[in-house]
Amino acid sequence: GALTTAQLAAFGTDQIAAFAFHPYRQDGPENSLPDIAKFENISGATRQRRSIWLTEWGYSETWLSRMYPLDNLRERQAVMTARLMLTAALAGAKAVLLYDLIDDGPDANNPESRFGLYDYEFHAKKSALTFRAMTDLMSNCDTYNFTFDPVQKTITATFTSSSRISRAIWTYDSRYNHNLCFSAGSSNVTHLFDLSGTTIPIEYCPSSSNIKLRLREEFGPLILTTDR
């Protein structure tokens, strides 16, 4: 923070079109939101109407093996990739660039070797498929918004187009699982998917038309779509 402030004071911001930031963390990407907000405040990006670009962000499988030793690493990386992309949109970033496209090497003990969406032999990991699915979800909309439930630590991202409302719903609470009674707000055809695109049978809450969602931090966002 002090270095950034000093540099901006020395060189000014008249020639700056945007600010770049790398919000790396080994825990959940939602925990980077305060870091991004602090950077915006220090840089004066909001006051000067300069956009924030998250020009490098990702999760190494080596990190994840230490943070989540009981998890399937490829599954966990896919979950973090989806939540990272959603968190970038939530932060209001102009763009986010995922690091890395391809693993830099085969050494599982070297964190730098295991950031890729594809492995060292160019085979797609699950995170590559998740990246494509989330890109389709987020780009094919007219409007979007986010809502928080700070008590249950859940976030709902709603993407609306002329033909469909799609919601990504997840929890960042690693301590507890959460069962939600969620109102889709429509009697139209509704589908529920996991990050792999696999259809999940819809359950309903007792004495209610609300949909029962079983949220687990390690399984990532559930995708709920409703035709308009």
Side-chain angles (χ1 to χ4, degrees):
L3 176 61
T4 300
T5 301
Q7 289 176 327
L8 292 173
F11 299 106
T13 59
D14 291 345
Q15 303 303 313
I16 296 177
F19 293 95
F21 185 56
H22 297 176
Y24 281 107
R25 273 183 172 270
Q26 296 189 31
D27 56 3
E30 301 82 9
N31 293 315
S32 291
L33 287 169
D35 301 335
I36 297 169
K38 182 178 180 180
F39 178 79
E40 285 183 307
N41 182 57
I42 291 171
S43 66
T46 302
R47 295 190 302 275
Q48 301 171 48
R49 298 182 180 179
R50 305 288 203 275
S51 59
I52 294 289
W53 288 56
L54 305 179
T55 51
E56 193 176 305
W57 199 3
Y59 281 89
S60 169
E61 288 180 49
T62 307
W63 288 355
L64 299 175
S65 68
R66 298 166 184 166
M67 290 289 294
Y68 309 96
L70 300 181
D71 287 8
N72 179 298
L73 296 183
R74 297 288 171 90
E75 295 280 347
R76 170 56 75 169
Q77 188 188 43
V79 166
M80 293 305 216
T81 298
R83 287 165 53 189
L84 178 160
M85 295 171 71
L86 291 162
T87 299
L90 176 57
K94 180 70 173 180
V96 58
L97 280 67
L98 264 71
Y99 184 85
D100 197 357
L101 179 61
I102 302 167
D103 283 347
D104 289 350
D107 185 359
N109 296 314
N110 181 357
E112 192 60 35
S113 296
R114 305 301 291 271
F115 277 92
L117 301 179
Y118 292 78
D119 68 19
Y120 193 58
E121 297 181 345
F122 304 98
H123 299 132
K125 301 180 188 178
K126 186 173 181 179
S127 53
L129 306 179
T130 297
F131 174 82
R132 184 179 304 155
M134 295 306 298
T135 299
D136 288 343
L137 176 70
M138 299 171 72
S139 61
N140 294 319
C141 71
D142 301 315
T143 61
Y144 69 90
N145 64 76
F146 290 83
T147 56
F148 277 93
D149 182 336
V151 176
Q152 300 219 53
K153 295 186 177 181
T154 61
I155 305 175
T156 301
T158 303
F159 302 93
T160 304
S161 69
S162 58
S163 61
R164 179 174 297 173
I165 300 174
S166 300
R167 298 176 177 90
I169 308 161
W170 75 101
T171 180
Y172 53 96
D173 186 353
S174 59
R175 298 172 302 166
Y176 303 107
N177 298 328
H178 296 283
N179 294 327
L180 300 184
C181 287
F182 189 87
S183 174
S186 172
S187 60
N188 293 340
V189 176
T190 299
H191 302 280
L192 184 63
F193 306 95
D194 64 15
L195 275 180
S196 300
T198 302
T199 300
I200 300 173
I202 290 180
E203 301 178 73
Y204 292 93
C205 297
S207 304
S208 171
S209 60
N210 290 345
I211 296 171
K212 186 174 185 178
L213 299 178
R214 303 177 185 272
L215 300 183
R216 308 292 185 266
E217 186 270 342
E218 66 270 26
F219 294 150
L222 297 179
I223 310 300
L224 187 69
T225 66
T226 304
D227 295 339
R228 301 189 74 184

